[in-house]
């Protein structure tokens, strides 16, 4: 399988009044084509920041401090900033205009809250028209509207609604529009940031099913960012667990759920209520969330880890191959 | 503590910036440098004037200010070191400082009686203001910056503004002693001379030295501004408090009156009133004050209405607090910050309005040096290319208004911080 | 409350305000210790002339009767008679108001365009040097007395460079376009007289730029604050993630939000605009209502001063009323 995305040593910092916070701290990741990677962790662990970093839209006051993000570009793109050739390209080396033309075209990003992600003053059709014009200024209005209608139909929305405004749609339908906008130009990579968190479970199931269909149909590669492990269990091929801006474990979905290696992963899975075991008591992870402005030299999880050792306080564990075929960053496994 | 940065004053390296401000330190240090340059240029200018003045007392006055500042500074450093070394308690240190303040002031008054029997009060004010500002600047140099630790750039902006204002006030107060020529005297030099040695800013059509007029020209403007703000504040604030607190028909009626006054273009109303009252500093001040009373009224009223609804005020009422108590202890402290910010903006507006009124001919008597008059009279000679007659007085007005505006902006962010980021 | 009842109540509120306003002016114009008639004639005058003067202007009536006549007159559109030649003041106002109108329109246009442009530029790079210097510019322009700025511009552009005239409204050697609106620029366009348009524009430029610059500060700040808020919103970031160009985002998405507050601010600044116009007209010898007021003060023409000040007051009140109503119509929240 070919490699689609390669991230090496990515760090994103937020410079605030209280200090510099490392939203993402030395993350390395590989993603193969046509696979779905789940990115999971608690709030503030850096998964959204990582997703935003890939499209180089980290919100102020954050900025990408260092690292390499290489994407295997499928189509040659001609744009104002210069030609982008096919093959593995380091996104950090592209200028602003080149990056802009990649967004929406090669990489699509879907946001969490469909209620606020659409421009309330523009009709749905106009959204599509704008999108297509932004990437190909020669596109005619009628052609764009036709395409928009096609896409809406494919999503299960009546094509006449292309003239309607966002507030006339329900949450689930808006999310489908977002997905439609994301896939309109047939990108290779789709990053979904908590796509179903603000939807009720029935709609969530519909959306997930639809996304799975689309993925198969368009040969998509997906990164699914969520804190909901249940969703990932259904849709992801492999899962990466993040904590305090670092990746602590990567594994195939099955292996992760069956035998989680990292103590944090174990604690996460423990804390999810199990319908089949109603008598199990709810557990939680003791201690407080990490302060990203004060990175400690050792493992960031050590204050809360039940298996903490002395070395954990001094040396940060690197990702090493685990016995389940994935990667894990923990001194329990690296012979330390 | 990790990440604490030592701020290097110029002479000594004491003073510590807390970690949090480190990220902004570059911009804050640039702003700090700006304030320092400003302070130094003010000092250098004043020393220059003092040494060159026509009266023999110029250098003595400026020298007196410096002496005052240095004495205060030394006392401050000494007491700080003693407290740090544990040889004296904080409170004792402060006491010494206050004693030094009072003592030196008394000494200055006595000395003034010996040197200059005339106007000791003015001398005292001048030396005190100048001395205190200078002391503060020296502490800034010595100690790193106290406000930087909390509010960063906003505090510095407020300081820059206050520094400009104090500088101009000081300069005006000691103007009699530091002017190179008598500003009102006609014909001290050739007419309409461009800036040249001997007359660094040139001369007016009447042969008056422009530099002297520029130094001394702020008197009327400052007097008018201070008077009008005082009047405005003392009427507008109590009115706003009373009306909003009482509520009911009273409130409605006064509101209506205030809205009507507010509806006028400020200058137009001031022009009408000033035209009716006639020339004079007091009349000018009253005219301006009248126009700005509604602003205070509105600000105070909106604040009171907000605070009145707050739960802890309701709780106090339920517990039986009397109206006066509620007013003084709950409401007043809440409205003061906004009122103070409004005051600084008000000062700036008063100055600009006073200048405007002078320009249309309704200003103070002509014989006192005034920037407004220099602008008005100098305007006629622009055609002949005499740019200096209007530029310097105008620049001073801009500077003074700017000082108050900056102070207002900075204070606005310091006293009523808004959540960002 | 419904739109109609809001408009009705707002209009009703204006009526007592205008009454108080009129009374205020009446009182102010009579607070001088002394007899207005005597004060007008500085050099002393014969008793017969004085008596006739008083009778014609109604100054020999008791105060309350003068007040009633004054109010009644205003209802008829009678602003009184000038002390100089007993001519109706309303006539003078009618002749001179179009000049002031033209000046204020162009000045406001300049202020808004400059302010919005700088505000947008300032908001794009938050807290950068550009941002800080633009904000500083806004503060400094507010602190400059408008007539001083006018003088400086006259000095540079009229005296030194000779590009623009330093006063008056039109070149006396050329003929005016036939009056339709009273605004020379519009009239010349309507008459197809391009040369007249150029001339009137040439005379209009310095005064409008002067007045506009002094007022632009508030628009810089308003636009900047509004843009900063809007640019952080989800739908803007979502648009960026789709690869929409910067122009589309800034102007199509973000600036549209600022439209309503800017419109409102124009109305609120109207009073300041008129005040500045008075000084600007004096500086540039612009034959408008402001200069008329100043002239009348010089001649101690108290009735004319009263009439003009009343006109200003009523004008501002009506404009504020219109702005409030328009705002209510456009803002859907009040509309319900």
């Amino acid at each position: 399988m070919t490699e689609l995305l390669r991230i090496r040593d990515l760090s994103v910092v937020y410079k605030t009044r209280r200090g510099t916070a490392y939203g993402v701290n030395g993350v390395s990741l590989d993603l193969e084509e046509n696979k779905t990677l789940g990115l999971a962790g608690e709030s503030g662990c850096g998964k959204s920041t990582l997703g935003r970093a890939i499209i180089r839209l980290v919100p102020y006051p954050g900025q990408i401090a260092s690292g390499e993000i290489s994407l295997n570009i499928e189509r040659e793109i001609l744009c104002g900033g210069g030609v982008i050739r096919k093959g593995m390209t380091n996104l950090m080396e592209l200028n602003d205009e080149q990056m802009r033309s990649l967004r929406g075209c090669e990489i699509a990003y879907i946001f969490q809250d469909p209620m606020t992600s659409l421009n309330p003053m523009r009709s749905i059709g106009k959204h599509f028209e704008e999108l297509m014009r932004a990437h190909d200024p020669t596109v005619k209005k009628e052609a764009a509207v036709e395409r928009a209608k096609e896409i809406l139909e494919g999503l299960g929305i009546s094509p006449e609604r292309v003239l309607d405004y966002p507030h006339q749609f329900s949450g689930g339908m808006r999310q489908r529009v977002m997905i439609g906008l994301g896939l309109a130009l047939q990108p290779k990579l789709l990053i979904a940031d908590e796509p179903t968190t603000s939807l009720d479970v029935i709609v969530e199931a519909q959306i997930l099913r639809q996304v799975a269909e689309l993925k198969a149909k368009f040969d998509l590669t997906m990164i699914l960012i969520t804190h909901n492990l249940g969703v990932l269990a259904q849709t992801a091929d492999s899962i990466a667990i993040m904590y305090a801006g670092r990746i602590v474990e990567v594994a195939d979905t099955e292996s992760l759920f069956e035998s989680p290696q990292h103590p944090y992963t174990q604690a996460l899975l423990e804390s999810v209520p199990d319908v089949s075991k109603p008598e199990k008591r709810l557990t939680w992870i003791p201690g407080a969330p990490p302060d990203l402005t004060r990175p400690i030299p050792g493992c960031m999880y050590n204050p809360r880890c039940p298996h903490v050792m002395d070395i954990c306080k001094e040396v940060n564990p690197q990702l090493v191959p685990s016995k389940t075929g994935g990667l894990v960053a923990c001194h329990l496994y690296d012979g330390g | 503590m990790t990440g604490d940065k030592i701020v290097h004053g110029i002479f000594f390296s004491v003073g510590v910036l807390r970690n949090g401000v480190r990220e902004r330190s570059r911009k804050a240090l640039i702003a700090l440098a700006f304030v320092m340059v400003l302070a130094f240029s003010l000092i250098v200018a004043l020393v220059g004037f003092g040494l060159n003045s026509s009266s023999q007392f110029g250098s003595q006055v400026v020298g007196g200010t410096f002496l005052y500042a240095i004495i205060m500074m030394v006392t401050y450093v000494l007491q700080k070191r003693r407290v740090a070394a544990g040889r004296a308690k904080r409170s004792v240190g402060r006491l010494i400082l206050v004693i030094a303040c009072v003592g030196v002031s008394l000494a200055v008054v006595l000395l003034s009686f010996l040197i200059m029997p005339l106007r000791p009060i003015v001398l005292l004010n001048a030396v005190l203001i100048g001395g205190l500002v200078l002391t503060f600047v020296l502490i800034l140099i010595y100690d790193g910056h106290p406000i930087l630790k909390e509010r960063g750039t906003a505090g510095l902006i407020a300081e820059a503004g206050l520094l400009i204002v104090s500088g101009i006030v000081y300069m005006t107060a000691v103007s009699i002693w530091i002017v190179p020529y008598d500003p009102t005297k006609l014909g001290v030099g050739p007419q309409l001379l461009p800036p040249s040695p001997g007359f660094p800013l040139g001369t007016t059509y009447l042969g008056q030295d422009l530099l002297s007029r520029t130094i001394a020209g702020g008197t009327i403007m400052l007097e008018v501004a201070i008077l009008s703000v005082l009047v405005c504040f003392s009427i507008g604030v109590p009115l706003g408090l009373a009306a909003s607190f009482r509520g009911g028909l009273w409130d409605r009626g006064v509101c209506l009156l205030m809205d009507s006054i507010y509806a006028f273009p400020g200058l137009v109303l001031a022009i009408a009133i000033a035209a009716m009252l006639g020339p004079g500093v007091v009349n000018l001040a009253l005219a301006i004050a009248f126009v700005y009373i509604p602003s205070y009224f509105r600000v105070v009223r909106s604040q009171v209405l907000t605070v009145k609804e707050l739960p802890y005020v309701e709780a106090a009422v339920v517990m039986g607090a009397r109206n006066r108590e509620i007013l003084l202890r709950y409401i007043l402290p809440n409205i003061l910050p906004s009122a103070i910010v409004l005051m600084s903006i008000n000062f700036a507006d008063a100055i600009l309005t006073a200048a405007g009124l002078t320009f249309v001919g309704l200003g103070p008597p002509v014989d006192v040096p005034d920037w407004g008059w220099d602008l008005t009279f100098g305007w006629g000679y622009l055609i002949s290319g005499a740019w200096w007659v209007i530029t310097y007085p105008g620049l001073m007005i801009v500077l003074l208004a700017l000082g108050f505006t900056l102070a207002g902006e900075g204070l606005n962010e310091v006293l009523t911080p808004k959540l960002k980021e | 409350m419904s739109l109609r009842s809001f408009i009705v109540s707002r209009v009703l509120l204006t009526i007592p305000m205008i009454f108080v306003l009129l009374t205020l002016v009446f009182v102010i114009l009579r607070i001088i210790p002394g007899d207005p008639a005597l004060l007008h004639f500085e050099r002393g005058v014969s008793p017969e002339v004085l008596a006739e003067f008083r009778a014609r202007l109604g100054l020999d009536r008791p105060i309350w009767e003068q007040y009633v006549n004054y109010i009644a007159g205003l209802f008829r559109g009678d602003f009184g008679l000038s002390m100089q030649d007993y001519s109706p003041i309303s006539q003078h106002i009618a002749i001179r108001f179009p000049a002031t109108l033209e000046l204020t329109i162009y000045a406001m246009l300049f202020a808004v365009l400059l302010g919005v442009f700088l505000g947008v530029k300032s908001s794009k790079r938050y807290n950068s040097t550009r941002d800080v210097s633009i904000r500083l510019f806004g503060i400094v322009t507010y602190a400059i007395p408008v007539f001083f700025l006018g003088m400086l511009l006259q000095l540079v552009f009229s005296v030194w460079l000779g590009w623009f005239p330093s006063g008056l409204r039109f070149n006396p050697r050329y003929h005016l376009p036939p009056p339709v609106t009273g605004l020379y620029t519009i009239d010349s366009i309507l008459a197809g007289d391009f040369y007249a348009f150029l001339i009137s524009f040439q005379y209009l430029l310095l005064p409008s730029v002067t007045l506009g610059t002094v007022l632009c500060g508030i628009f810089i700040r308003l636009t900047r604050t509004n843009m900063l808020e809007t640019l952080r919103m989800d739908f803007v970031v979502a648009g960026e993630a789709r690869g929409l160009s910067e122009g589309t985002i800034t102007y199509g998405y973000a600036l549209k939000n600022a439209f309503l507050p800017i419109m409102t601010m124009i109305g609120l600044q109207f009073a300041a605009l008129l005040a500045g116009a008075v000084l600007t007209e004096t500086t540039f010898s612009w034959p408008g209502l402001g200069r008329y007021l100043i002239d009348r003060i010089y001649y101690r023409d108290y009735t004319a001063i009263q009439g003009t000040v009343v006109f200003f007051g009523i004008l501002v009140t009506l404009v504020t009323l219109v702005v409030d109503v328009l705002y209510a119509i456009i803002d859907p929240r009040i509309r319900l």
Side-chain angles (χ1 to χ4, degrees), chain A residues 16-20 60 294, chain B residues 2 19-21 23-24 421:
Chain A
T16 67
R17 232 176 248 220
R18 283 180 297 119
T20 311
Y60 181 90
R294 294 177 190 278
Chain B
T2 52
N19 178 41
V21 193
E23 302 320 314
R24 291 234 168 161
E421 286 165 293

Side-chain angles (χ1 to χ4, degrees), chain A residues 171-206:
Chain A
M173 293 177 93
R174 275 191 240 189
Q175 192 59 298
R176 276 185 239 170
V177 168
M178 286 297 294
I179 295 173
L181 281 170
L183 300 180
L185 298 174
Q186 296 176 330
K188 192 66 198 152
L189 177 63
L190 175 67
I191 307 177
D193 191 349
E194 312 266 11
T196 56
T197 308
S198 57
L199 305 169
D200 65 72
V201 280
I202 299 183
V203 177
E204 178 179 60
Q206 288 174 343

Side-chain angles (χ1 to χ4, degrees), chain B residues 27 263 265 271 276 349 379 409, chain C residues 32 142 221 283 297 302 316:
Chain B
K27 288 215 184 78
I271 286 180
M276 290 301 116
D349 279 337
W379 179 41
E409 294 280 324
Chain C
I32 14 167
Y142 177 77
R221 181 184 304 208
T283 316
I297 291 178
Y302 297 112
V316 174

Side-chain angles (χ1 to χ4, degrees), chain A residues 63-325:
Chain A
Q63 57 192 96
I64 302 179
S66 61
E68 177 207 319
I69 305 174
S70 295
L71 181 70
N72 192 354
I73 309 229
E74 203 173 51
R75 303 169 267 199
E76 192 170 86
I77 299 176
L78 202 70
C79 70
V83 182
I84 310 175
R85 306 223 175 274
K86 292 205 275 194
M88 283 303 259
T89 316
N90 186 355
L91 298 180
M92 299 303 292
E93 287 167 7
L94 296 177
N95 62 40
D96 286 340
E97 183 57 25
Q98 289 171 318
M99 195 64 217
R100 182 197 70 74
S101 49
L102 274 187
R103 293 188 197 118
C105 182
E106 283 282 312
I107 315 177
Y109 196 98
I110 296 179
F111 288 81
Q112 171 174 348
D113 191 351
M115 306 299 271
T116 54
S117 298
L118 294 169
N119 188 344
M121 313 237 218
R122 293 240 197 307
S123 69
I124 302 299
K126 195 75 165 61
H127 276 88
F128 280 96
E129 188 191 322
E130 250 176 2
L131 173 64
M132 290 180 229
R133 283 270 186 79
H135 290 272
D136 182 4
T138 63
V139 166
K140 296 244 182 296
K141 183 172 168 162
E142 302 77 28
V145 174
E146 273 312 301
R147 181 95 181 91
K149 286 188 181 172
E150 269 174 43
I151 298 175
L152 285 178
E153 203 162 6
L155 289 165
I157 303 176
S158 156
E160 275 80 54
R161 301 203 69 181
V162 77
L163 297 167
D164 284 346
Y165 283 80
H167 63 266
Q168 294 168 284
F169 290 80
S170 70
M173 293 177 93
R174 275 191 240 189
Q175 192 59 298
R176 276 185 239 170
V177 168
M178 286 297 294
I179 295 173
L181 281 170
L183 300 180
L185 298 174
Q186 296 176 330
K188 192 66 198 152
L189 177 63
L190 175 67
I191 307 177
D193 191 349
E194 312 266 11
T196 56
T197 308
S198 57
L199 305 169
D200 65 72
V201 280
I202 299 183
V203 177
E204 178 179 60
Q206 288 174 343
I207 300 274
L208 287 177
R209 202 174 344 118
Q210 195 142 48
V211 168
E213 279 169 18
L214 290 166
K215 171 168 179 266
K217 186 166 156 193
F218 291 110
D219 279 333
L220 284 174
T221 311
M222 260 179 59
I223 298 181
L224 193 50
I225 303 175
T226 177
H227 58 263
N228 187 338
L229 290 168
V231 166
L232 291 180
Q234 262 184 278
T235 53
D237 295 314
S238 56
I239 301 178
I241 307 278
M242 281 186 77
Y243 184 80
R246 299 194 175 116
I247 295 190
V248 295
E249 183 167 354
V250 184
D252 292 337
T253 312
E254 255 188 64
S255 322
L256 190 90
F257 282 95
E258 260 174 49
S259 58
Q261 301 288 297
H262 197 279
Y264 177 59
T265 321
Q266 292 164 351
L268 267 185
L269 290 171
E270 271 285 292
S271 63
V272 176
D274 191 349
V275 168
S276 61
K277 302 197 193 99
E279 70 282 353
K280 188 182 103 165
R281 287 177 116 198
L282 286 177
T283 56
W284 67 94
I285 307 177
D291 181 358
L292 297 175
T293 57
R294 294 177 190 278
I296 46 189
C299 172
M300 287 294 273
Y301 188 59
N302 82 64
R304 307 162 87 180
C305 182
H307 306 294
V308 61
M309 305 179 287
D310 283 331
I311 190 176
C312 299
K313 299 190 186 154
E314 284 155 41
V315 180
N316 184 35
Q318 301 297 312
L319 279 171
V320 294
S322 73
K323 60 179 186 261
T324 53

